[in-house]
Amino acid sequence: MHSPTPTETADAATDPLGRERSHLAASRAALTAMREDVEALDLRDVTGTWVSAQVLQKQVDERIKALADLAHTPLFFGRLDYLHAISEAESEGSGGERFYIGRRHVHDAGGDPMVIDWRAPVSQPFYRASRTEPMDVAKRRRFGYTGGELTAYEDENLSDPEESDSRSALLAAEIEKPRVGPMRDIVATIQPEQDEIVRADVTGTVCVQGAPGTGKTAVGLHRVAFLLYAHRERLARTGTLVVGPNRSFLQYIEQVLPALGELDVAQATVQELVGHVEVRGTDTAGTARIKGDARMAAVLRNAVRAGITLPTEPCVVVRGSRRWRVPAYELEEIVRELMGREIRYGAALEALPQRIAHAVLVKMEQGGEAPDDRVQDAVARNAAVKATVKACWPAVDPVKLVHRLLSDPGFLATAADGLLDADEQAALLWAKPPRSARTAPWSAADAVLIDEAADLVHRTPSLGHVVVDEAQDLSPMQYRAVGRRCTTGSATVLGDLAQGTTPWATGSWQEALHHLGKDGAHVEELTQGFRVPGEVIAYASRLLPAIAPGLAPATSIRDLPGSLALRHVPDGLDAAVLDACREALRYEGSVGLIAADARIPALAATLGAAGLPFLDPGTETTAESRLTLVPASLAKGLEYDYVVLDEPAAIITGEPDHRTGLRRLYVSLTRAVSGLTVLHAQPLPPELG
């Protein structure tokens, strides 16, 4: 918080930009002092045990890391001048207060704030205030930066009825800023409708349907950062996780988190979540679709419980000179009661010997003895009790269970009775069953089945909040795997139905949320794009009637004439692609060469022979290396200033079916922020007109 003095007001009138630069320099100095104060702490006389010393040192190290000054990231990006004082420290009649809004809190030597964290309640009007609802804000100031240096500012006098609405030039410049080096600070570009999602209550699940360029990934990352700020103690206990489609995507987005004030947020792909086995095999599209079907959950439940057998013999426990007999009918009652409780299979397996032991103790008490809990535990470990439990409720190994399910036609037929037809069962079975689970050619879909079986045996621990991006590509069984990680927490689901590029891609968010276990979640739709130029998104949207007929076409706030170029190259496509890349590299910013996966080796050889260096997806660009060669299968979620798109027909035919191919093409067409060049030797798909 800062209230301007008369001298400062005079200085601001004569050199406002200089005054803001001075405040930036002072804020950076204050941040450095905060860090040095923490570094100077002497913990030798504070800590008690060795363990507490280690914990405290770790907390101090994390604090030092959090106080690092990111040289190329603005320490503050905006300012709010309130009409009235809102803090208790300000006396009545003292006028308004001024707050600088930035990526983290900074205070001076006296403890007065110099920069306010963007997640603090007082910062909210920076995103939400408007001329129709100024939220007591007299002026909103945005700052422009070049290479970490403050170079410009722009004011909106929200409480001035004489001032008309106009689009923010600095906001547009920030959105259009070339992407060279680490992904830039995006916190300054959040829009009001996005901010509502970001600050939604931690207890509720939110689903965001977002067209390309609408900032849904930014919303998800901001939501993680906001929740960790607003509910840090709660989420520190329960955990937070970001789930992405692949490791390249996660490497790409993790560059953003430090600029949002968070350094340590767990990230994983769905495959990493269910990493019970090494994935060495693949499935056909048809088989993968069946394995990903929600019916497989019921098949697995039947398989897990297939070994339960009602007892037909009594259990006789010998202790000393006495024998205690639990008759078969009494054992059957115990087993049936556990079967009807719908508790986890493993929990029931642990409870069964205790239940039998309790029945023995009741008989011992009736016989005049006075057993205690130690006696019950001893009886539960008795060989006769163990033998009865093994016969009635055998232990289940999830990996071995799925191995048997995919190897044994009879076992599968029993488990899938009334759920899968004969053809579907045949598609699931291995053509040549492996001898053991260790040597099995497990596929990615198999790993998800094993995860389901593991949860049926022992409950999967729940996190406090899970963000899942590109969620439209998950199968029902994958949704269940993610949902298990937030059964007692909440989730933020991000995706675009039009960009579903798996054969099992979800048809509706209601269906997806049901499989996730979050039926009551609210669905928000973002259709206004901020990244992709209007000419490019309009061209890509021609595919929507074929790939997602229920979705409204996206719009864009950015009108860039000439941002789309279509070039038919009957001969010499590789050479034309090379020329197009060189042409794009003449401009500032990143360049992505996107092609069908099968075309990548040939294009890599062409680039190498021409001496044109290129990066792999997810790798940070630098001033010396700004070209990335991107397989179409990895393009989702990435963006580049300029995109060269190679042979759309090859992208389509590289997928299992035509609709999935068109969706993959839609993704590839919408990765450009400033310009898209499409080169093709084969005819373009008729869906593009």
Side-chain angles (χ1 to χ4, degrees):
M1 178 276 297
H2 180 75
S3 296
T5 66
T7 302
E8 290 174 332
T9 302
D11 291 342
T14 56
D15 185 16
L17 188 59
R19 183 187 178 282
E20 300 295 12
R21 287 171 173 166
S22 296
H23 187 77
L24 175 62
S27 298
R28 288 198 182 282
L31 181 60
T32 300
M34 290 169 63
R35 181 183 173 97
E36 290 173 348
D37 286 345
V38 179
E39 290 174 333
L41 289 175
D42 187 351
L43 304 180
R44 288 174 296 182
D45 297 328
V46 178
T47 57
T49 65
W50 178 86
V51 174
S52 62
Q54 293 296 310
V55 171
L56 187 56
Q57 185 61 56
K58 181 181 178 181
Q59 293 174 341
V60 169
D61 291 342
E62 290 175 349
R63 177 66 174 164
I64 292 172
K65 186 178 178 182
L67 289 171
D69 190 0
L70 306 180
H72 297 288
T73 300
L75 192 55
F76 57 80
F77 49 80
R79 195 184 89 187
L80 290 176
D81 293 0
Y82 278 89
L83 288 170
H84 304 93
I86 61 175
S87 71
E88 295 180 0
E90 296 295 315
S91 60
E92 292 187 18
S94 62
E97 293 179 84
R98 176 180 299 163
F99 296 90
Y100 286 84
I101 313 301
R103 66 180 179 86
R104 59 152 303 110
H105 175 84
V106 178
H107 61 254
D108 61 18
D112 292 326
M114 301 184 71
V115 180
I116 300 294
D117 195 302
W118 67 272
R119 297 166 288 186
V122 74
S123 302
Q124 185 172 333
F126 183 79
Y127 303 103
R128 301 274 188 96
S130 64
R131 223 166 289 283
T132 56
E133 190 176 350
M135 302 176 71
D136 200 43
V137 174
K139 178 189 295 181
R140 173 168 53 202
R141 174 168 288 182
R142 300 181 189 274
F143 297 106
Y145 286 82
T146 302
E149 293 299 318
L150 198 161
T151 55
Y153 70 90
E154 175 185 77
D155 288 339
E156 296 173 85
N157 295 299
L158 299 180
S159 299
D160 184 357
E162 301 299 322
E163 188 170 295
S164 59
D165 280 319
S166 62
R167 184 188 171 200
S168 169
L170 284 181
L171 179 60
E174 177 63 27
I175 290 172
E176 298 167 10
K177 186 182 296 184
R179 287 144 179 78
V180 177
M183 187 177 179
R184 79 224 181 289
D185 184 9
I186 56 176
V187 68
T189 66
I190 287 293
Q191 300 298 294
E193 65 273 19
Q194 297 171 321
D195 189 64
E196 289 183 16
I197 300 170
V198 168
R199 298 176 192 263
D201 187 72
V202 67
T203 60
T205 290
V206 180
C207 176
V208 182
Q209 158 61 40
T214 54
K216 55 185 177 294
T217 297
V219 167
L221 295 178
H222 281 74
R223 180 149 172 74
V224 169
F226 172 77
L227 293 178
L228 286 171
Y229 173 87
H231 308 279
R232 189 169 300 279
E233 184 176 340
R234 172 178 179 171
L235 293 179
R237 294 194 310 269
T238 56
T240 306
L241 175 68
V242 175
V243 179
N246 52 61
R247 183 45 58 180
S248 295
F249 178 79
L250 292 176
Q251 290 173 349
Y252 180 75
I253 65 172
E254 70 183 1
Q255 303 167 41
V256 181
L257 292 169
L260 302 181
E262 294 299 331
L263 297 169
D264 297 309
V265 176
Q267 301 178 17
T269 64
V270 173
Q271 202 55 52
E272 289 167 346
L273 286 183
V274 299
H276 304 281
V277 292
E278 181 182 353
V279 174
R280 296 191 296 266
T282 57
D283 292 312
T284 65
T287 298
R289 188 182 292 110
I290 298 170
K291 289 180 177 179
D293 194 292
R295 292 175 294 168
M296 289 302 299
V299 172
L300 287 164
R301 182 184 181 280
N302 292 341
V304 165
R305 300 171 73 88
I308 300 175
T309 304
L310 294 177
T312 57
E313 299 291 335
C315 177
V316 180
V317 176
V318 178
R319 284 185 59 80
S321 61
R322 305 195 66 173
R323 295 158 58 89
W324 306 100
R325 183 176 182 274
V326 182
Y329 76 86
E330 195 170 336
L331 293 173
E332 180 179 339
E333 289 178 359
I334 294 173
V335 172
R336 286 188 181 279
E337 194 270 336
L338 287 174
M339 290 174 63
R341 286 178 58 189
E342 293 296 332
I343 62 175
R344 292 297 193 277
Y345 187 90
L349 177 60
E350 294 171 359
L352 183 55
Q354 290 290 336
R355 296 292 300 276
I356 296 174
H358 178 71
V360 172
L361 258 66
V362 170
K363 298 183 183 301
M364 293 173 69
E365 290 171 348
Q366 292 171 346
E369 296 191 13
D372 56 19
D373 291 345
R374 290 174 298 176
V375 174
Q376 179 167 328
D377 289 339
V379 172
R381 295 191 299 269
N382 182 274
V385 174
K386 287 183 176 180
T388 299
V389 171
K390 184 176 182 180
C392 297
W393 206 287
V396 170
D397 182 306
V399 177
K400 292 179 179 178
L401 178 89
V402 176
H403 172 265
R404 183 185 176 191
L405 198 66
L406 302 180
S407 304
D408 185 341
F411 184 58
L412 175 60
T414 300
D417 183 35
L419 296 167
L420 304 177
D421 62 31
D423 290 339
E424 290 172 323
Q425 292 178 36
L428 289 178
L429 292 166
W430 280 313
K432 184 180 179 181
R435 291 185 177 182
S436 69
R438 185 175 302 174
T439 60
W442 298 112
S443 68
D446 294 335
V448 179
L449 297 181
I450 293 171
D451 191 69
E452 179 82 27
D455 183 72
L456 288 166
V457 177
H458 294 291
R459 185 183 298 276
T460 304
S462 175
L463 298 167
H465 192 80
V466 173
V467 175
V468 53
D469 205 351
E470 302 297 347
Q472 73 281 342
D473 277 337
L474 301 187
S475 69
M477 292 299 287
Q478 287 175 320
Y479 275 116
R480 290 176 62 87
V482 174
R484 282 192 284 279
R485 271 74 186 178
C486 56
T487 50
T488 59
S490 56
T492 300
V493 181
L494 312 166
D496 179 9
L497 297 178
Q499 297 185 59
T501 50
T502 55
W504 50 82
T506 186
S508 72
W509 289 122
Q510 286 71 25
E511 173 192 344
L513 292 167
H514 172 72
H515 296 309
L516 193 70
K518 306 294 182 184
D519 287 287
H522 178 61
V523 180
E524 288 278 356
E525 188 170 0
L526 299 177
T527 59
Q528 186 177 53
F530 303 95
R531 312 274 190 243
V532 186
E535 190 175 354
V536 173
I537 195 65
Y539 182 70
S541 293
R542 296 180 184 182
L543 297 173
L544 286 180
I547 62 177
L551 291 184
T555 60
S556 177
I557 66 170
R558 302 180 58 222
D559 183 19
L560 295 179
S563 56
L564 174 66
L566 306 176
R567 298 176 187 171
H568 181 217
V569 187
D571 300 300
L573 181 60
D574 287 2
V577 168
L578 191 62
D579 290 341
C581 288
R582 286 173 172 152
E583 180 182 337
L585 287 169
R586 294 193 188 106
Y587 300 98
E588 185 182 4
S590 60
V591 178
L593 170 54
I594 303 178
D597 291 31
R599 287 271 293 153
I600 293 298
L603 291 174
T606 298
L607 294 172
L612 203 59
F614 61 89
L615 304 169
D616 295 325
T619 306
E620 285 186 11
T621 58
T622 65
E624 295 74 30
S625 190
R626 297 185 287 118
L627 174 64
T628 304
L629 180 58
V630 187
S633 63
L634 296 181
K636 191 173 299 178
L638 306 180
E639 59 181 27
Y640 302 92
D641 287 286
Y642 295 90
V643 167
V644 177
L645 182 61
D646 170 84
E647 196 61 273
I651 292 176
I652 296 173
T653 57
E655 298 299 327
D657 58 78
H658 187 67
R659 189 186 76 158
T660 303
L662 289 176
R663 286 182 166 185
R664 185 75 72 188
L665 177 59
Y666 179 78
V667 171
S668 301
L669 287 169
T670 53
R671 300 304 96 199
V673 176
S674 296
L676 169 66
T677 300
V678 180
L679 298 102
H680 62 104
Q682 302 178 46
L684 293 171
E687 290 85 355
L688 283 174

